[in-house]
């Protein structure tokens, strides 16, 4: 039995060394970087942010000249006739064929001069939506990185569970062999052998379940990180987190992206209320047109042009504008209510995350003590069994207690890491930039700065934008 114990200890130590010093182990930072780089969810929301950037350009276009051209070619045909009666009473008829082709080309320009700030309010609202979408993108980033931490720790935990279950199976195999040997010499009964056989069968079932969990953990890791895990290095030291709940909540109120997104949504809806109210005011426009008509077959042509200022406004539209204004006010009130809800949820999330981390750290420390005590108890019961003072059932129970305590320790250690990063996420600090990941940080302002002026494709800036889109793989 001492030789069995030494062999098991050697296997455990060898497994621990294999995890601790692999040839090229994947680190937690590698998993986080992979998740940040390959996340389809981040790509989706980055595209939504670019769409919001374009809404600013579309809103600004309302205050710029609108120029349209038109061209037409017209072919006319027909006949024209007249009758003439001379002094002798003879009537003659004259018919003239009417055919001709003409071209007309024209340009019409219009520019909004003044609308009491309706368009300007919509531009500012679109900018607030962009800021809200940027914050939402950071919130998605936090979710992706927290899932990567969970995936990494789940794979490590699953590997350790498999090793633990396999070691337990080997140990129970030795226990069964020893029980059979003692049964042969009459030291134990058939009942002891059957107990060992039942425990070994349960251990085999546990190994199968642990391998299933490992396979599922690997698929989870592949989904989150973008590739299958290799050998995983031990996680680094726990990240520094705020343990004071009040300080953590205060920080979250300043930094959490969900709260910032809700605040920008309130601002956007406030501006849209102003815009829909100003829609009922008159507008002043500057209008201009130029056209040229040329007739084929002769040198006749005609040029027309006009420039003017137009003033107009709604008189009656069936209540549509008033309804739109009331709907905007309702959406503003909803956004304000959502801001209140988000504030409460963030505060609750911070408190829950810190409480969860503290409880799991205490559980992890307790599990260490439990493992040490169970290990000593198991060794003592097994020694006593060799002397006939303990039964096989006593040994199996002690071994099961040790197994359960070791499993609890593994689980608690993994959960502590996930909980620590969850605290960072609850305060809005779980981002690639805050963690210092070795990745190309996505710059949300780069695309906005290219499109905020609404460049046309033919311009230099428009061609630069086409190159950016091509580099992103969007064209």
């Amino acid at each position: 039995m001492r030789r069995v114990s030494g062999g098991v200890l050697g296997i455990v130590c060898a497994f621990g060394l294999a995890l601790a010093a692999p040839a090229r182990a994947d680190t937690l930072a590698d998993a986080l970087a992979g998740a940040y780089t390959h996340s389809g969810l981040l790509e989706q929301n980055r595209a939504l942010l670019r769409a919001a950037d374009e809404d600013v350009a579309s809103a600004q276009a309302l205050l710029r000249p609108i120029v349209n051209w038109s061209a037409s070619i017209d072919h006319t045909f027909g006949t024209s006739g007249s009758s003439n009666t001379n002094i002798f009473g003879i009537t003659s008829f004259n018919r003239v064929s009417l055919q001709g082709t003409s071209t007309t080309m024209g340009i019409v320009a219009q520019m909004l001069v003044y609308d009491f700030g309706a368009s300007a309010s919509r531009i500012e609202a679109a900018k607030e939506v962009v800021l809200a979408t940027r914050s939402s993108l950071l919130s998605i980033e936090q979710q992706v990185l927290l899932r990567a931490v969970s995936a990494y720790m789940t794979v490590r935990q699953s590997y350790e569970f498999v090793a633990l279950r396999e070691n337990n199976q080997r140990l129970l195999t030795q226990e069964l062999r020893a029980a059979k040997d003692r049964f042969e010499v009459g030291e134990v009964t058939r009942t002891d052998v059957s107990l060992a056989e039942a425990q070994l069968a349960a251990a085999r079932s546990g190994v199968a379940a642990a391998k299933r969990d490992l396979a599922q953990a690997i698929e989870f890791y592949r989904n989150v990180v973008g590739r299958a895990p290799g050998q995983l290095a031990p996680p680094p030291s726990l990240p520094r987190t705020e343990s004071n709940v009040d300080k953590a909540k205060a920080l979250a109120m300043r930094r959490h992206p969900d709260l910032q997104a809700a605040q920008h949504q309130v601002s956007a809806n406030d501006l849209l209320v102003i815009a829909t109210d100003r829609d009922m005011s008159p507008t002043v426009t500057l209008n201009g047109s130029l056209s040229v008509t040329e007739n084929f077959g002769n040198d006749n042509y005609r040029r027309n042009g006009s420039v003017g200022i137009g003033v107009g406004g709604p008189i009656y539209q069936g209540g549509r504008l008033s309804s739109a204004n009331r709907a905007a006010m309702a959406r503003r009130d909803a956004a304000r209510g959502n801001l209140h809800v988000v504030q409460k949820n963030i505060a609750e999330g911070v408190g829950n995350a810190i409480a969860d981390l503290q409880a799991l750290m205490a559980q992890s420390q307790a599990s260490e003590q439990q493992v040490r005590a169970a290990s000593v108890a198991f060794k003592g019961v097994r020694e006593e069994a060799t002397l006939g003072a303990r039964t096989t059932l006593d040994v199996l129970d002690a071994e099961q207690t040790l197994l359960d305590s070791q499993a609890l320790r593994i689980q608690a250690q993994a959960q502590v890491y996930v909980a620590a990063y969850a605290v960072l996420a609850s305060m809005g600090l779980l981002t690639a930039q805050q963690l210092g990941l070795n990745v190309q940080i996505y710059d949300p302002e780069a695309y906005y700065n290219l499109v905020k002026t609404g460049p046309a494709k033919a311009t230099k800036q428009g061609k630069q934008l086409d190159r950016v889109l091509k580099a992103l793989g969007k064209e």
Side-chain angles (χ1 to χ4, degrees):
M1 297 301 291
R2 291 192 183 92
R3 288 195 297 271
V4 172
S5 177
V8 172
L9 180 61
I11 292 172
V12 173
C13 292
F15 178 75
L17 291 174
L19 284 177
R24 176 61 182 93
D26 290 336
T27 64
L28 178 58
D30 293 333
L32 291 168
Y36 182 85
T37 304
H38 298 101
S39 172
L41 188 59
L42 282 177
E43 285 297 320
Q44 174 190 357
N45 284 272
R46 287 167 185 166
L48 293 175
L49 175 57
R50 292 194 293 271
D53 293 341
E54 296 290 356
D55 289 338
V56 175
S58 299
Q60 288 180 333
L62 298 175
L63 295 178
R64 294 174 182 163
I66 298 173
V67 183
N68 293 312
W69 65 272
S70 63
S72 65
I73 300 178
D74 299 303
H75 179 71
T76 60
F77 55 90
T79 58
S80 175
S82 62
S83 60
N84 185 28
T85 304
N86 59 21
I87 59 175
F88 300 105
I90 299 174
T91 302
S92 62
F93 296 92
N94 297 320
R95 289 184 174 86
V96 179
S97 176
L98 301 177
Q99 295 190 39
T101 302
S102 64
T103 60
T104 301
M105 297 187 65
I107 296 177
V108 178
Q110 186 180 56
M111 180 177 178
L112 179 64
V113 178
Y114 189 66
D115 64 353
F116 289 85
S119 296
S121 296
R122 285 188 167 86
I123 293 172
E124 294 304 315
K127 291 179 180 179
E128 291 293 335
V129 171
V130 167
L131 296 176
T133 309
R134 289 180 186 177
S135 297
S136 297
L137 178 60
L138 282 179
S139 182
I140 296 296
E141 181 179 323
Q142 289 204 138
Q143 297 174 28
V144 168
L145 295 180
L146 187 58
R147 276 169 55 87
V149 175
S150 178
Y152 185 89
M153 297 309 302
T154 300
V155 171
R156 274 190 55 85
Q157 171 184 286
S158 298
Y159 272 123
E160 292 182 13
F161 274 154
V162 169
L164 182 64
R165 295 292 181 180
E166 288 179 341
N167 291 335
N168 179 53
Q169 179 179 326
R170 283 189 286 270
L171 180 58
L172 288 174
T173 301
Q174 296 292 337
E175 293 281 1
L176 176 60
R177 185 177 299 114
K180 288 182 177 179
D181 291 342
R182 295 170 66 188
F183 173 73
E184 292 294 334
V185 297
E187 293 183 5
V188 297
T189 66
R190 180 63 187 171
T191 302
D192 296 287
V193 176
S194 297
L195 287 171
E197 290 174 340
Q199 199 79 353
L200 178 59
R204 289 169 179 164
S205 176
V207 169
K211 289 183 177 180
R212 176 207 60 198
D213 293 341
L214 174 60
Q216 292 176 346
I218 290 174
E219 292 303 321
F220 178 44
Y221 186 97
R222 192 196 306 271
N223 179 26
V224 174
V225 180
R227 55 180 173 78
Q231 287 184 318
L232 301 184
S237 57
L238 287 174
R240 296 181 60 183
T241 60
E242 180 60 63
S243 58
N244 185 283
V245 176
D246 291 334
K247 291 182 179 180
K249 288 182 179 180
L251 180 59
M253 293 302 162
R254 297 193 305 268
R255 300 292 300 273
H256 202 287
D258 286 349
L259 183 60
Q260 293 174 349
Q263 290 170 339
H264 288 302
Q265 286 291 351
V266 170
S267 299
N269 282 281
D270 285 339
L271 290 164
L272 289 176
V273 170
I274 297 174
T276 54
D277 181 63
R278 301 291 169 81
D279 285 340
M280 292 181 260
S281 303
T283 59
V284 180
T285 58
L286 179 64
N287 305 304
S289 65
L290 177 65
S291 64
V292 177
T293 301
E294 182 176 356
N295 296 317
F296 287 101
N298 54 52
D299 295 331
N300 295 332
Y301 67 90
R302 185 174 67 255
R303 294 177 181 173
N304 295 318
S306 67
V307 176
I309 295 178
V311 180
I315 296 177
Y316 178 71
Q317 295 190 7
R320 180 181 64 86
L321 297 179
S322 298
S323 177
N325 182 243
R326 292 192 298 271
M329 288 190 288
R331 284 189 286 269
R332 175 201 60 193
D333 296 341
R336 291 176 178 175
N338 179 65
L339 176 59
H340 180 74
V341 171
V342 170
Q343 288 175 330
K344 296 297 183 182
N345 287 343
I346 288 175
E348 179 188 2
V350 170
N352 290 343
I354 292 178
D356 193 34
L357 175 60
Q358 292 174 346
L360 287 170
M361 291 181 68
Q363 182 179 347
S364 178
Q365 293 172 359
S367 66
E368 291 285 352
Q369 299 174 355
Q370 184 179 357
V371 168
R372 287 195 296 269
S375 178
V376 172
F378 173 61
K379 292 177 181 177
V381 169
R382 192 170 53 186
E383 291 292 341
E384 292 172 1
T386 59
L387 300 176
R390 293 281 185 170
T391 65
T392 301
L393 180 59
D394 294 330
V395 175
L396 295 177
D397 287 342
E399 198 278 335
Q400 184 63 45
T401 300
L402 175 60
L403 175 67
D404 292 341
S405 61
Q406 289 172 330
L408 180 62
R409 179 180 62 180
I410 292 171
Q411 185 178 26
Q413 290 173 345
Q415 290 177 340
V416 164
Y417 271 89
V418 177
Y421 282 95
V423 171
L424 292 181
S426 71
M427 295 187 293
L429 301 178
L430 188 61
T431 64
Q433 188 169 11
Q434 287 288 334
L435 296 176
L437 298 182
N438 186 25
V439 294
Q440 182 66 41
I441 302 295
Y442 183 80
D443 184 4
E445 295 185 2
Y447 187 85
Y448 175 81
N449 291 333
L450 285 174
V451 304
K452 64 181 180 180
T453 57
K457 280 186 172 291
T459 64
K460 180 180 179 181
Q461 192 174 5
K463 293 178 181 178
Q464 181 183 1
L465 179 59
D466 288 340
R467 290 194 293 270
V468 171
L469 290 173
K470 186 176 183 180
L472 290 171
K474 310 305 176 189
E475 280 198 345

